[in-house]
Amino acid sequence: MKATTVQGQGIDLLQDIITSWKSRLRGPVLAPGDAGYEDSRTVWNAMIDRRPAMVVRCLGNADVIECVRFAREHDLLLCIKCGGHNIAGLAVADGAIMLDLSLMRGVWVDPDRRVVHAQAGCLLGEVDRETQVHGLATVLGFISLTGITGLTLGGGIGYLTRRWGWTADNVVGMDVVTAEGRLVRASSDENADLFWGLRGGGGNFGVVTGIDYMLHGVGPEIVGGAVAWPASEAPGVLELYRTLAEQAPHELTLVAFVRPAPAAPWLPKEWHGRPIVGFLACYTGNLDEGEKAVAPIKSFGKPIGDILMPRTYVQMQSLLDATQPKGRRYYWKSEYLPRIEPALCEKIIEHAARMPSTYCAVTLFQMGGALNQLDDSRSPVGNRDAEHVLIINASWEQPDDDAVNMEWARRAWSDMRQFSTGGTYINFLCEDEGAERVQAALGAALPRLAQIKARWDPHNVFRTNRNIKPTSAA
Ligand SMILES: Cc1cc2nc3c(=O)[nH]c(=O)nc-3n(C[C@H](O)[C@H](O)[C@H](O)COP(=O)(O)OP(=O)(O)OC[C@H]3O[C@@H](n4cnc5c(N)ncnc54)[C@H](O)[C@@H]3O)c2cc1C
């Protein structure tokens, strides 16, 4: 019999065992050199360059079950990829069996029950597209190409957060393949501890194969879009963001950014690459009210571009997609903020003036609203004191520029950290951010998460994530 080495794990698996395992799968198994392997192992952030031993493009629950059982039986490392958007590259690990769920993308909407069931490989724009047929939506993120599962398991923030909380607050059930290779349901009625842990604790407890979200009436038309001014207007624009955000109704979400202008068709060519300050706004209630709510933004100063207008919600959800393409190098630092201090705005302007690449940005996303009003014990995501999230986003193309870009982000962050609530978003943490930052993100929930881990994954089968070590209940 021929022996095959699963790279990096020091395990020789007889070819016959692998052949027998493959025969039990419906989806393709890709090894290095196979067509599609490179595409599958590559994630959004080009800083991450890892090579799984094999990629399984799962086609359903049965494939996932076979893979988890196979990995356990042969003590193989598993990693799980949904959208591959995680900036730390948690979806991919050297030498692992990678479960690539990106072929599992079915979406079923039940408009009467106001619930959508989405398979775990969906990108968020695909879910919005189907739910919007019925004028419904759930809380998802700001970029339509992000995977729903990684986003939901870490919390999830978007234009609807101020109305209905974290994405995780809007989950009503999940289908999960456990470390034992069993398919179970997690909801408030079934396996409630697992359900709690999954809504913020990441991929620590099992492989999620499908998610049910509650839906709300949204759109299809909303008032949304962007306005930009020369960066010299930044003091006034950031002050406008601060004052509008303080009075904004839950239907309105604001975003402010300072960055070199992207080569977007709505911005004049002569401005591309030059420093600008901008606003994004999205009002998801009554259209007339929306027009009134965004009027102070549209009438401010002399914009160089203005596409803030009635448009479809689906369009709004993909407005930022082109600014964050797969394959660039990315490094982020982020913090939750309790309020916008004028002194913070000064620091944003100061550090934005030193951006080393035309793809860098400093962005403020408004949160708050319903998020602050829901109970802290509802899920491990917590951080219900967050009113805004600050993201210092370094982005560039060449590996030779890594140091200068990362250094810029780190400096800006260490200078602005003083304005933080002390909390941060687990889904925005980079590869070099460790236990202290996970503590800042999950805080008081960690001991309970460790007990849930001990019950559902005592041998730490699922460890290519923000890993929670299993501990027994006291
Ligand atoms: C351009 C960009 C924009 C973003 N915008 C937002 C935003 O608006 N709002 C927001 O909240 N976040 C946002 N994020 C952060 C995003 O939530 C995280 O990057 C998230 O991890 C992405 O999910 P994914 O499925 O693409 O992740 P992947 O990279 O595929 O996986 C990330 C982690 O999730 C685990 N995981 C994935 N699928 C499963 C599964 N089926 N079962 C168990 N574990 C699984 C993996 O093991 C891994 O640990 C953004 C990220 C990017 C890159």
Side-chain angles (χ1 to χ4, degrees), residues 44 80-86 90-91 101 141-142 146-147 149-151 153 156-157 203 206-208 324 332 425 427-428 464-465:
W44 168 80
I80 311 159
K81 180 181 170 191
C82 170
H85 250 201
N86 187 275
L90 298 178
L101 302 187
F142 297 97
T146 309
T149 309
L151 177 135
L153 296 179
I157 327 163
V207 185
V208 173
Q324 308 290 315
W332 293 350
Y425 185 24
N427 272 345
F428 289 166
T464 54
N465 43 41

PDB file of all heavy atoms in Angstrom, residues 44 80-86 90-91 101 141-142 146-147 149-151 153 156-157 203 206-208 324 332 425 427-428 464-465, ligand 1:
ATOM      1  N   TRP A  44      -8.700  36.723   1.658  1.00  0.00           N
ATOM      2  CA  TRP A  44      -8.808  38.130   1.263  1.00  0.00           C
ATOM      3  C   TRP A  44      -7.512  38.900   1.502  1.00  0.00           C
ATOM      4  O   TRP A  44      -7.066  39.676   0.664  1.00  0.00           O
ATOM      5  CB  TRP A  44      -9.979  38.725   2.049  1.00  0.00           C
ATOM      6  CG  TRP A  44     -10.093  40.206   2.009  1.00  0.00           C
ATOM      7  CD1 TRP A  44     -10.620  40.967   0.999  1.00  0.00           C
ATOM      8  CD2 TRP A  44      -9.694  41.116   3.039  1.00  0.00           C
ATOM      9  NE1 TRP A  44     -10.564  42.288   1.341  1.00  0.00           N
ATOM     10  CE2 TRP A  44     -10.013  42.417   2.580  1.00  0.00           C
ATOM     11  CE3 TRP A  44      -9.120  40.962   4.303  1.00  0.00           C
ATOM     12  CZ2 TRP A  44      -9.758  43.548   3.347  1.00  0.00           C
ATOM     13  CZ3 TRP A  44      -8.866  42.092   5.071  1.00  0.00           C
ATOM     14  CH2 TRP A  44      -9.181  43.360   4.576  1.00  0.00           C
ATOM     15  N   ILE A  80     -11.593  25.975   8.891  1.00  0.00           N
ATOM     16  CA  ILE A  80     -12.911  26.152   8.254  1.00  0.00           C
ATOM     17  C   ILE A  80     -12.936  27.497   7.547  1.00  0.00           C
ATOM     18  O   ILE A  80     -12.661  28.538   8.151  1.00  0.00           O
ATOM     19  CB  ILE A  80     -14.045  26.142   9.317  1.00  0.00           C
ATOM     20  CG1 ILE A  80     -13.891  24.953  10.260  1.00  0.00           C
ATOM     21  CG2 ILE A  80     -15.414  26.123   8.639  1.00  0.00           C
ATOM     22  CD1 ILE A  80     -14.618  25.133  11.580  1.00  0.00           C
ATOM     23  N   LYS A  81     -13.309  27.458   6.273  1.00  0.00           N
ATOM     24  CA  LYS A  81     -13.399  28.710   5.520  1.00  0.00           C
ATOM     25  C   LYS A  81     -14.830  28.928   5.041  1.00  0.00           C
ATOM     26  O   LYS A  81     -15.431  28.039   4.446  1.00  0.00           O
ATOM     27  CB  LYS A  81     -12.455  28.653   4.318  1.00  0.00           C
ATOM     28  CG  LYS A  81     -12.478  29.910   3.473  1.00  0.00           C
ATOM     29  CD  LYS A  81     -11.533  29.788   2.271  1.00  0.00           C
ATOM     30  CE  LYS A  81     -11.733  30.925   1.298  1.00  0.00           C
ATOM     31  NZ  LYS A  81     -11.045  30.702   0.023  1.00  0.00           N
ATOM     32  N   CYS A  82     -15.321  30.141   5.319  1.00  0.00           N
ATOM     33  CA  CYS A  82     -16.628  30.544   4.771  1.00  0.00           C
ATOM     34  C   CYS A  82     -16.338  31.568   3.691  1.00  0.00           C
ATOM     35  O   CYS A  82     -16.153  31.233   2.524  1.00  0.00           O
ATOM     36  CB  CYS A  82     -17.497  31.075   5.908  1.00  0.00           C
ATOM     37  SG  CYS A  82     -18.982  31.865   5.358  1.00  0.00           S
ATOM     38  N   GLY A  83     -16.220  32.861   4.053  1.00  0.00           N
ATOM     39  CA  GLY A  83     -15.919  33.891   3.047  1.00  0.00           C
ATOM     40  C   GLY A  83     -14.424  34.165   2.908  1.00  0.00           C
ATOM     41  O   GLY A  83     -14.004  34.866   2.002  1.00  0.00           O
ATOM     42  N   GLY A  84     -13.605  33.656   3.848  1.00  0.00           N
ATOM     43  CA  GLY A  84     -12.153  33.909   3.797  1.00  0.00           C
ATOM     44  C   GLY A  84     -11.793  35.367   4.025  1.00  0.00           C
ATOM     45  O   GLY A  84     -10.719  35.819   3.655  1.00  0.00           O
ATOM     46  N   HIS A  85     -12.692  36.120   4.674  1.00  0.00           N
ATOM     47  CA  HIS A  85     -12.460  37.552   4.846  1.00  0.00           C
ATOM     48  C   HIS A  85     -11.730  37.879   6.143  1.00  0.00           C
ATOM     49  O   HIS A  85     -11.348  39.028   6.346  1.00  0.00           O
ATOM     50  CB  HIS A  85     -13.808  38.293   4.819  1.00  0.00           C
ATOM     51  CG  HIS A  85     -13.978  39.110   3.587  1.00  0.00           C
ATOM     52  ND1 HIS A  85     -14.856  40.153   3.496  1.00  0.00           N
ATOM     53  CD2 HIS A  85     -13.369  39.052   2.400  1.00  0.00           C
ATOM     54  CE1 HIS A  85     -14.780  40.690   2.292  1.00  0.00           C
ATOM     55  NE2 HIS A  85     -13.887  40.039   1.619  1.00  0.00           N
ATOM     56  N   ASN A  86     -11.579  36.915   7.025  1.00  0.00           N
ATOM     57  CA  ASN A  86     -10.952  37.243   8.312  1.00  0.00           C
ATOM     58  C   ASN A  86      -9.546  37.790   8.100  1.00  0.00           C
ATOM     59  O   ASN A  86      -8.713  37.133   7.468  1.00  0.00           O
ATOM     60  CB  ASN A  86     -10.928  35.993   9.192  1.00  0.00           C
ATOM     61  CG  ASN A  86     -10.462  36.320  10.572  1.00  0.00           C
ATOM     62  OD1 ASN A  86      -9.271  36.352  10.838  1.00  0.00           O
ATOM     63  ND2 ASN A  86     -11.398  36.628  11.451  1.00  0.00           N
ATOM     64  N   LEU A  90      -7.798  33.371   9.823  1.00  0.00           N
ATOM     65  CA  LEU A  90      -8.134  32.229  10.671  1.00  0.00           C
ATOM     66  C   LEU A  90      -8.747  31.070   9.892  1.00  0.00           C
ATOM     67  O   LEU A  90      -8.823  29.954  10.391  1.00  0.00           O
ATOM     68  CB  LEU A  90      -9.102  32.667  11.784  1.00  0.00           C
ATOM     69  CG  LEU A  90      -8.569  33.711  12.770  1.00  0.00           C
ATOM     70  CD1 LEU A  90      -9.645  34.092  13.779  1.00  0.00           C
ATOM     71  CD2 LEU A  90      -7.333  33.189  13.498  1.00  0.00           C
ATOM     72  N   ALA A  91      -9.168  31.326   8.666  1.00  0.00           N
ATOM     73  CA  ALA A  91      -9.821  30.275   7.879  1.00  0.00           C
ATOM     74  C   ALA A  91      -8.836  29.256   7.336  1.00  0.00           C
ATOM     75  O   ALA A  91      -9.247  28.177   6.891  1.00  0.00           O
ATOM     76  CB  ALA A  91     -10.592  30.915   6.726  1.00  0.00           C
ATOM     77  N   LEU A 101     -16.437  25.901   2.711  1.00  0.00           N
ATOM     78  CA  LEU A 101     -17.907  25.792   2.632  1.00  0.00           C
ATOM     79  C   LEU A 101     -18.493  26.675   1.532  1.00  0.00           C
ATOM     80  O   LEU A 101     -19.705  26.861   1.463  1.00  0.00           O
ATOM     81  CB  LEU A 101     -18.525  26.170   3.984  1.00  0.00           C
ATOM     82  CG  LEU A 101     -18.047  25.335   5.184  1.00  0.00           C
ATOM     83  CD1 LEU A 101     -18.858  25.680   6.427  1.00  0.00           C
ATOM     84  CD2 LEU A 101     -18.133  23.843   4.926  1.00  0.00           C
ATOM     85  N   GLY A 141     -23.166  42.952   7.482  1.00  0.00           N
ATOM     86  CA  GLY A 141     -22.090  43.944   7.493  1.00  0.00           C
ATOM     87  C   GLY A 141     -22.172  44.970   6.378  1.00  0.00           C
ATOM     88  O   GLY A 141     -23.157  45.027   5.629  1.00  0.00           O
ATOM     89  N   PHE A 142     -21.108  45.781   6.263  1.00  0.00           N
ATOM     90  CA  PHE A 142     -21.070  46.921   5.346  1.00  0.00           C
ATOM     91  C   PHE A 142     -20.517  46.559   3.957  1.00  0.00           C
ATOM     92  O   PHE A 142     -20.475  47.418   3.089  1.00  0.00           O
ATOM     93  CB  PHE A 142     -20.176  48.026   5.916  1.00  0.00           C
ATOM     94  CG  PHE A 142     -20.669  48.616   7.217  1.00  0.00           C
ATOM     95  CD1 PHE A 142     -20.176  48.187   8.441  1.00  0.00           C
ATOM     96  CD2 PHE A 142     -21.639  49.616   7.218  1.00  0.00           C
ATOM     97  CE1 PHE A 142     -20.609  48.744   9.638  1.00  0.00           C
ATOM     98  CE2 PHE A 142     -22.083  50.181   8.404  1.00  0.00           C
ATOM     99  CZ  PHE A 142     -21.570  49.738   9.621  1.00  0.00           C
ATOM    100  N   THR A 146     -18.377  39.838   2.269  1.00  0.00           N
ATOM    101  CA  THR A 146     -17.949  39.199   3.525  1.00  0.00           C
ATOM    102  C   THR A 146     -18.781  37.943   3.772  1.00  0.00           C
ATOM    103  O   THR A 146     -19.981  37.917   3.507  1.00  0.00           O
ATOM    104  CB  THR A 146     -18.143  40.198   4.698  1.00  0.00           C
ATOM    105  OG1 THR A 146     -17.520  41.422   4.348  1.00  0.00           O
ATOM    106  CG2 THR A 146     -17.550  39.678   5.983  1.00  0.00           C
ATOM    107  N   GLY A 147     -18.129  36.902   4.309  1.00  0.00           N
ATOM    108  CA  GLY A 147     -18.851  35.670   4.633  1.00  0.00           C
ATOM    109  C   GLY A 147     -19.788  35.881   5.809  1.00  0.00           C
ATOM    110  O   GLY A 147     -19.416  36.526   6.787  1.00  0.00           O
ATOM    111  N   THR A 149     -20.849  33.639   7.953  1.00  0.00           N
ATOM    112  CA  THR A 149     -20.660  32.808   9.149  1.00  0.00           C
ATOM    113  C   THR A 149     -19.587  33.364  10.073  1.00  0.00           C
ATOM    114  O   THR A 149     -19.812  33.504  11.277  1.00  0.00           O
ATOM    115  CB  THR A 149     -20.389  31.349   8.773  1.00  0.00           C
ATOM    116  OG1 THR A 149     -21.408  30.943   7.871  1.00  0.00           O
ATOM    117  CG2 THR A 149     -20.441  30.447   9.985  1.00  0.00           C
ATOM    118  N   GLY A 150     -18.415  33.692   9.518  1.00  0.00           N
ATOM    119  CA  GLY A 150     -17.381  34.300  10.369  1.00  0.00           C
ATOM    120  C   GLY A 150     -17.913  35.574  10.991  1.00  0.00           C
ATOM    121  O   GLY A 150     -17.702  35.842  12.189  1.00  0.00           O
ATOM    122  N   LEU A 151     -18.616  36.373  10.207  1.00  0.00           N
ATOM    123  CA  LEU A 151     -19.159  37.650  10.701  1.00  0.00           C
ATOM    124  C   LEU A 151     -20.129  37.398  11.869  1.00  0.00           C
ATOM    125  O   LEU A 151     -20.024  38.012  12.937  1.00  0.00           O
ATOM    126  CB  LEU A 151     -19.851  38.393   9.553  1.00  0.00           C
ATOM    127  CG  LEU A 151     -20.530  39.721   9.905  1.00  0.00           C
ATOM    128  CD1 LEU A 151     -20.183  40.797   8.867  1.00  0.00           C
ATOM    129  CD2 LEU A 151     -22.042  39.587   9.944  1.00  0.00           C
ATOM    130  N   LEU A 153     -20.511  34.685  13.807  1.00  0.00           N
ATOM    131  CA  LEU A 153     -19.932  34.012  14.980  1.00  0.00           C
ATOM    132  C   LEU A 153     -19.101  34.970  15.837  1.00  0.00           C
ATOM    133  O   LEU A 153     -18.856  34.698  17.009  1.00  0.00           O
ATOM    134  CB  LEU A 153     -19.077  32.817  14.544  1.00  0.00           C
ATOM    135  CG  LEU A 153     -19.822  31.667  13.850  1.00  0.00           C
ATOM    136  CD1 LEU A 153     -18.845  30.562  13.443  1.00  0.00           C
ATOM    137  CD2 LEU A 153     -20.910  31.084  14.735  1.00  0.00           C
ATOM    138  N   GLY A 156     -20.968  40.808  14.414  1.00  0.00           N
ATOM    139  CA  GLY A 156     -21.621  41.342  13.218  1.00  0.00           C
ATOM    140  C   GLY A 156     -22.202  42.738  13.415  1.00  0.00           C
ATOM    141  O   GLY A 156     -23.113  42.938  14.215  1.00  0.00           O
ATOM    142  N   ILE A 157     -21.633  43.720  12.675  1.00  0.00           N
ATOM    143  CA  ILE A 157     -22.111  45.112  12.725  1.00  0.00           C
ATOM    144  C   ILE A 157     -22.438  45.559  11.305  1.00  0.00           C
ATOM    145  O   ILE A 157     -21.677  45.254  10.383  1.00  0.00           O
ATOM    146  CB  ILE A 157     -21.028  46.136  13.162  1.00  0.00           C
ATOM    147  CG1 ILE A 157     -20.038  45.544  14.155  1.00  0.00           C
ATOM    148  CG2 ILE A 157     -21.637  47.430  13.637  1.00  0.00           C
ATOM    149  CD1 ILE A 157     -18.762  46.380  14.265  1.00  0.00           C
ATOM    150  N   GLY A 203     -15.658  30.200  15.934  1.00  0.00           N
ATOM    151  CA  GLY A 203     -15.779  28.812  15.460  1.00  0.00           C
ATOM    152  C   GLY A 203     -15.239  27.792  16.448  1.00  0.00           C
ATOM    153  O   GLY A 203     -14.775  26.732  16.050  1.00  0.00           O
ATOM    154  N   GLY A 206     -17.912  24.075  16.983  1.00  0.00           N
ATOM    155  CA  GLY A 206     -18.398  23.156  15.970  1.00  0.00           C
ATOM    156  C   GLY A 206     -18.339  23.817  14.603  1.00  0.00           C
ATOM    157  O   GLY A 206     -17.935  24.983  14.489  1.00  0.00           O
ATOM    158  N   VAL A 207     -18.729  23.058  13.595  1.00  0.00           N
ATOM    159  CA  VAL A 207     -18.806  23.632  12.250  1.00  0.00           C
ATOM    160  C   VAL A 207     -20.265  24.019  12.006  1.00  0.00           C
ATOM    161  O   VAL A 207     -21.141  23.151  12.008  1.00  0.00           O
ATOM    162  CB  VAL A 207     -18.363  22.632  11.155  1.00  0.00           C
ATOM    163  CG1 VAL A 207     -18.340  23.316   9.795  1.00  0.00           C
ATOM    164  CG2 VAL A 207     -17.024  22.009  11.486  1.00  0.00           C
ATOM    165  N   VAL A 208     -20.503  25.286  11.818  1.00  0.00           N
ATOM    166  CA  VAL A 208     -21.863  25.758  11.536  1.00  0.00           C
ATOM    167  C   VAL A 208     -22.135  25.516  10.047  1.00  0.00           C
ATOM    168  O   VAL A 208     -21.328  25.897   9.199  1.00  0.00           O
ATOM    169  CB  VAL A 208     -21.982  27.260  11.877  1.00  0.00           C
ATOM    170  CG1 VAL A 208     -23.320  27.816  11.430  1.00  0.00           C
ATOM    171  CG2 VAL A 208     -21.771  27.471  13.371  1.00  0.00           C
ATOM    172  N   GLN A 324     -12.184  47.554  -0.954  1.00  0.00           N
ATOM    173  CA  GLN A 324     -11.504  46.528  -0.136  1.00  0.00           C
ATOM    174  C   GLN A 324     -11.330  45.241  -0.949  1.00  0.00           C
ATOM    175  O   GLN A 324     -11.870  44.189  -0.581  1.00  0.00           O
ATOM    176  CB  GLN A 324     -12.348  46.209   1.113  1.00  0.00           C
ATOM    177  CG  GLN A 324     -12.774  47.387   1.946  1.00  0.00           C
ATOM    178  CD  GLN A 324     -11.623  48.030   2.693  1.00  0.00           C
ATOM    179  OE1 GLN A 324     -10.790  47.351   3.284  1.00  0.00           O
ATOM    180  NE2 GLN A 324     -11.545  49.336   2.630  1.00  0.00           N
ATOM    181  N   TRP A 332      -5.032  46.120  10.265  1.00  0.00           N
ATOM    182  CA  TRP A 332      -5.993  47.017  10.918  1.00  0.00           C
ATOM    183  C   TRP A 332      -5.694  47.129  12.413  1.00  0.00           C
ATOM    184  O   TRP A 332      -5.181  46.204  13.026  1.00  0.00           O
ATOM    185  CB  TRP A 332      -7.422  46.457  10.847  1.00  0.00           C
ATOM    186  CG  TRP A 332      -8.046  46.379   9.501  1.00  0.00           C
ATOM    187  CD1 TRP A 332      -7.597  46.902   8.333  1.00  0.00           C
ATOM    188  CD2 TRP A 332      -9.269  45.689   9.191  1.00  0.00           C
ATOM    189  NE1 TRP A 332      -8.461  46.588   7.316  1.00  0.00           N
ATOM    190  CE2 TRP A 332      -9.491  45.852   7.809  1.00  0.00           C
ATOM    191  CE3 TRP A 332     -10.201  44.967   9.931  1.00  0.00           C
ATOM    192  CZ2 TRP A 332     -10.611  45.303   7.158  1.00  0.00           C
ATOM    193  CZ3 TRP A 332     -11.308  44.427   9.300  1.00  0.00           C
ATOM    194  CH2 TRP A 332     -11.509  44.595   7.921  1.00  0.00           C
ATOM    195  N   TYR A 425     -13.310  44.769  18.737  1.00  0.00           N
ATOM    196  CA  TYR A 425     -14.129  43.806  17.996  1.00  0.00           C
ATOM    197  C   TYR A 425     -13.271  42.618  17.591  1.00  0.00           C
ATOM    198  O   TYR A 425     -12.291  42.781  16.866  1.00  0.00           O
ATOM    199  CB  TYR A 425     -14.711  44.515  16.763  1.00  0.00           C
ATOM    200  CG  TYR A 425     -15.680  43.682  15.940  1.00  0.00           C
ATOM    201  CD1 TYR A 425     -16.379  42.609  16.493  1.00  0.00           C
ATOM    202  CD2 TYR A 425     -15.911  43.990  14.612  1.00  0.00           C
ATOM    203  CE1 TYR A 425     -17.264  41.866  15.736  1.00  0.00           C
ATOM    204  CE2 TYR A 425     -16.799  43.261  13.841  1.00  0.00           C
ATOM    205  CZ  TYR A 425     -17.469  42.193  14.410  1.00  0.00           C
ATOM    206  OH  TYR A 425     -18.344  41.453  13.654  1.00  0.00           O
ATOM    207  N   ASN A 427     -13.656  40.363  15.466  1.00  0.00           N
ATOM    208  CA  ASN A 427     -13.560  40.113  14.028  1.00  0.00           C
ATOM    209  C   ASN A 427     -12.622  41.078  13.310  1.00  0.00           C
ATOM    210  O   ASN A 427     -12.349  40.902  12.128  1.00  0.00           O
ATOM    211  CB  ASN A 427     -14.941  40.212  13.381  1.00  0.00           C
ATOM    212  CG  ASN A 427     -15.679  38.895  13.405  1.00  0.00           C
ATOM    213  OD1 ASN A 427     -15.090  37.851  13.637  1.00  0.00           O
ATOM    214  ND2 ASN A 427     -16.979  38.941  13.158  1.00  0.00           N
ATOM    215  N   PHE A 428     -12.156  42.116  14.000  1.00  0.00           N
ATOM    216  CA  PHE A 428     -11.217  43.043  13.359  1.00  0.00           C
ATOM    217  C   PHE A 428      -9.780  42.831  13.845  1.00  0.00           C
ATOM    218  O   PHE A 428      -8.894  43.595  13.484  1.00  0.00           O
ATOM    219  CB  PHE A 428     -11.629  44.504  13.635  1.00  0.00           C
ATOM    220  CG  PHE A 428     -12.875  44.973  12.910  1.00  0.00           C
ATOM    221  CD1 PHE A 428     -13.511  46.157  13.295  1.00  0.00           C
ATOM    222  CD2 PHE A 428     -13.416  44.276  11.848  1.00  0.00           C
ATOM    223  CE1 PHE A 428     -14.652  46.627  12.633  1.00  0.00           C
ATOM    224  CE2 PHE A 428     -14.568  44.725  11.183  1.00  0.00           C
ATOM    225  CZ  PHE A 428     -15.178  45.898  11.586  1.00  0.00           C
ATOM    226  N   THR A 464      -8.309  26.367  15.119  1.00  0.00           N
ATOM    227  CA  THR A 464      -7.781  27.394  14.204  1.00  0.00           C
ATOM    228  C   THR A 464      -8.764  28.566  14.217  1.00  0.00           C
ATOM    229  O   THR A 464      -9.537  28.772  13.285  1.00  0.00           O
ATOM    230  CB  THR A 464      -7.613  26.828  12.783  1.00  0.00           C
ATOM    231  OG1 THR A 464      -8.852  26.264  12.385  1.00  0.00           O
ATOM    232  CG2 THR A 464      -6.531  25.784  12.719  1.00  0.00           C
ATOM    233  N   ASN A 465      -8.746  29.282  15.339  1.00  0.00           N
ATOM    234  CA  ASN A 465      -9.703  30.387  15.564  1.00  0.00           C
ATOM    235  C   ASN A 465      -9.140  31.210  16.723  1.00  0.00           C
ATOM    236  O   ASN A 465      -8.004  30.976  17.137  1.00  0.00           O
ATOM    237  CB  ASN A 465     -11.086  29.806  15.918  1.00  0.00           C
ATOM    238  CG  ASN A 465     -10.980  28.645  16.897  1.00  0.00           C
ATOM    239  OD1 ASN A 465     -10.193  28.703  17.842  1.00  0.00           O
ATOM    240  ND2 ASN A 465     -11.748  27.600  16.696  1.00  0.00           N
TER     241      ASN A 465
HETATM  242  C1  LIG B   1     -13.458  43.935   3.729  1.00  0.00           C
HETATM  243  C2  LIG B   1     -14.054  43.507   5.032  1.00  0.00           C
HETATM  244  C3  LIG B   1     -15.186  44.122   5.501  1.00  0.00           C
HETATM  245  C4  LIG B   1     -15.737  43.751   6.701  1.00  0.00           C
HETATM  246  N1  LIG B   1     -16.866  44.380   7.136  1.00  0.00           N
HETATM  247  C5  LIG B   1     -17.439  43.974   8.277  1.00  0.00           C
HETATM  248  C6  LIG B   1     -18.657  44.566   8.709  1.00  0.00           C
HETATM  249  O1  LIG B   1     -19.187  45.446   8.064  1.00  0.00           O
HETATM  250  N2  LIG B   1     -19.211  44.135   9.848  1.00  0.00           N
HETATM  251  C7  LIG B   1     -18.631  43.154  10.599  1.00  0.00           C
HETATM  252  O2  LIG B   1     -19.191  42.799  11.617  1.00  0.00           O
HETATM  253  N3  LIG B   1     -17.478  42.582  10.227  1.00  0.00           N
HETATM  254  C8  LIG B   1     -16.878  42.967   9.081  1.00  0.00           C
HETATM  255  N4  LIG B   1     -15.710  42.401   8.692  1.00  0.00           N
HETATM  256  C9  LIG B   1     -15.062  41.429   9.569  1.00  0.00           C
HETATM  257  C10 LIG B   1     -15.681  40.065   9.348  1.00  0.00           C
HETATM  258  O3  LIG B   1     -16.795  39.932  10.174  1.00  0.00           O
HETATM  259  C11 LIG B   1     -14.659  38.973   9.695  1.00  0.00           C
HETATM  260  O4  LIG B   1     -13.566  39.120   8.858  1.00  0.00           O
HETATM  261  C12 LIG B   1     -15.264  37.591   9.554  1.00  0.00           C
HETATM  262  O5  LIG B   1     -14.347  36.666  10.110  1.00  0.00           O
HETATM  263  C13 LIG B   1     -15.536  37.256   8.126  1.00  0.00           C
HETATM  264  O6  LIG B   1     -16.250  36.084   8.001  1.00  0.00           O
HETATM  265  P1  LIG B   1     -15.849  35.001   6.907  1.00  0.00           P
HETATM  266  O7  LIG B   1     -16.881  33.963   6.940  1.00  0.00           O
HETATM  267  O8  LIG B   1     -15.545  35.662   5.616  1.00  0.00           O
HETATM  268  O9  LIG B   1     -14.519  34.466   7.595  1.00  0.00           O
HETATM  269  P2  LIG B   1     -13.492  33.319   7.279  1.00  0.00           P
HETATM  270  O10 LIG B   1     -12.198  34.005   7.044  1.00  0.00           O
HETATM  271  O11 LIG B   1     -13.956  32.358   6.261  1.00  0.00           O
HETATM  272  O12 LIG B   1     -13.465  32.596   8.695  1.00  0.00           O
HETATM  273  C14 LIG B   1     -13.145  33.319   9.841  1.00  0.00           C
HETATM  274  C15 LIG B   1     -13.269  32.495  11.105  1.00  0.00           C
HETATM  275  O13 LIG B   1     -14.584  32.013  11.240  1.00  0.00           O
HETATM  276  C16 LIG B   1     -14.586  30.606  11.401  1.00  0.00           C
HETATM  277  N5  LIG B   1     -15.639  30.027  10.591  1.00  0.00           N
HETATM  278  C17 LIG B   1     -15.937  30.358   9.312  1.00  0.00           C
HETATM  279  N6  LIG B   1     -16.951  29.593   8.893  1.00  0.00           N
HETATM  280  C18 LIG B   1     -17.261  28.772   9.923  1.00  0.00           C
HETATM  281  C19 LIG B   1     -18.222  27.762  10.091  1.00  0.00           C
HETATM  282  N7  LIG B   1     -19.041  27.436   9.113  1.00  0.00           N
HETATM  283  N8  LIG B   1     -18.300  27.113  11.284  1.00  0.00           N
HETATM  284  C20 LIG B   1     -17.462  27.446  12.284  1.00  0.00           C
HETATM  285  N9  LIG B   1     -16.523  28.394  12.169  1.00  0.00           N
HETATM  286  C21 LIG B   1     -16.420  29.041  11.003  1.00  0.00           C
HETATM  287  C22 LIG B   1     -13.254  30.152  10.854  1.00  0.00           C
HETATM  288  O14 LIG B   1     -12.826  28.972  11.472  1.00  0.00           O
HETATM  289  C23 LIG B   1     -12.367  31.278  11.173  1.00  0.00           C
HETATM  290  O15 LIG B   1     -11.904  31.130  12.494  1.00  0.00           O
HETATM  291  C24 LIG B   1     -15.145  42.733   7.475  1.00  0.00           C
HETATM  292  C25 LIG B   1     -13.998  42.101   7.001  1.00  0.00           C
HETATM  293  C26 LIG B   1     -13.466  42.481   5.793  1.00  0.00           C
HETATM  294  C27 LIG B   1     -12.231  41.814   5.303  1.00  0.00           C
END
